[in-house]
Amino acid sequence: YFGFNLTHVMKTLAQDQKGEPLTSKDLIETTEWRFRPAHQWYFNAQRRGGISSDMQLLGGKIDWMKGDWWYLTGQGLSAYAGGAGGYSEGHWGVGVFSPKWMNLQIYGEMLVGAGGGGGVDSGSALLYKPSVGVEYNLNKDFSFQTGIGKVTSNDGNLDATTFDASLVWRFRNLR
């Protein structure tokens, strides 16, 4: 493999590809995002055949921090333990969070999505997933988050309590 790069380093940012350079008085806006690798526990998750057992899921969450107190989120998780291999779910939703107090924030989310497989009794796969929790800010880029909630299927028997632990990574891009 052989490569060659030719670059030109600009000392100023342009407003757009054809715009004038920004001045020191111009406001540079950023879009704030979060990525949250997550581990979740479902307690007594109902299975087809009338039995219930715990299961564990791994996945990721991506958040668009739209305001000072709210965000939009997309989440995907898959079961890896608890005899529910093949169970996966994906959700969209909205979250809110409190102002910081001593490196802590309270948050709440309401998600709607789909999930199925692994013998879990999720009916037609339409799921609702509310949760609340607390986030501890380690520094400006990372925090730890934990919460409790419910996952409920629209027309199946799944109605389980959830516990969630996530590492939060905040990042920004220019707009």
Side-chain angles (χ1 to χ4, degrees):
Y1 177 80
F2 177 78
F4 177 77
N5 292 320
L6 181 63
T7 61
H8 171 71
V9 178
M10 297 175 53
K11 295 189 188 227
T12 61
L13 294 172
Q15 291 176 351
D16 59 30
Q17 292 177 350
K18 298 178 183 177
E20 295 294 318
L22 295 172
T23 67
S24 62
K25 294 181 182 178
D26 289 329
L27 179 63
I28 298 175
E29 293 184 36
T30 60
T31 302
E32 191 167 334
W33 295 85
R34 293 190 312 185
F35 177 67
R36 301 182 283 164
H39 186 273
Q40 289 189 351
W41 292 263
Y42 284 14
F43 300 104
N44 294 317
Q46 290 75 15
R47 311 297 172 93
R48 290 189 202 111
I51 61 170
S52 296
S53 64
D54 297 349
M55 60 189 224
Q56 297 179 25
L57 300 91
L58 284 175
K61 307 172 182 185
I62 187 83
D63 306 326
W64 180 37
M65 309 302 289
K66 186 59 183 152
D68 291 336
W69 59 273
W70 69 282
Y71 57 94
L72 299 175
T73 185
Q75 305 181 5
L77 298 122
S78 292
Y80 74 91
Y87 178 82
S88 292
E89 59 185 38
H91 300 279
W92 294 101
V94 63
V96 296
F97 53 90
S98 70
K100 288 180 186 166
W101 177 75
M102 297 181 62
N103 288 336
L104 293 172
Q105 282 183 288
I106 297 171
Y107 74 91
E109 292 180 343
M110 182 58 201
L111 308 173
V112 176
V120 176
D121 192 357
S122 59
S124 65
L126 178 60
L127 302 176
Y128 305 103
K129 199 170 181 182
S131 64
V132 295
V134 65
E135 183 173 334
Y136 178 75
N137 293 288
L138 302 169
N139 58 38
K140 71 179 188 71
D141 293 325
F142 292 98
S143 57
F144 180 73
Q145 193 176 70
T146 187
I148 59 170
K150 291 287 276 183
V151 60
T152 307
S153 63
N154 188 50
D155 62 357
N157 289 320
L158 180 61
D159 184 7
T161 300
T162 65
F163 180 76
D164 179 273
S166 300
L167 178 67
V168 180
W169 173 50
R170 289 178 285 280
F171 59 97
R172 295 158 188 82
N173 66 329
L174 297 175
R175 11 178 196 155

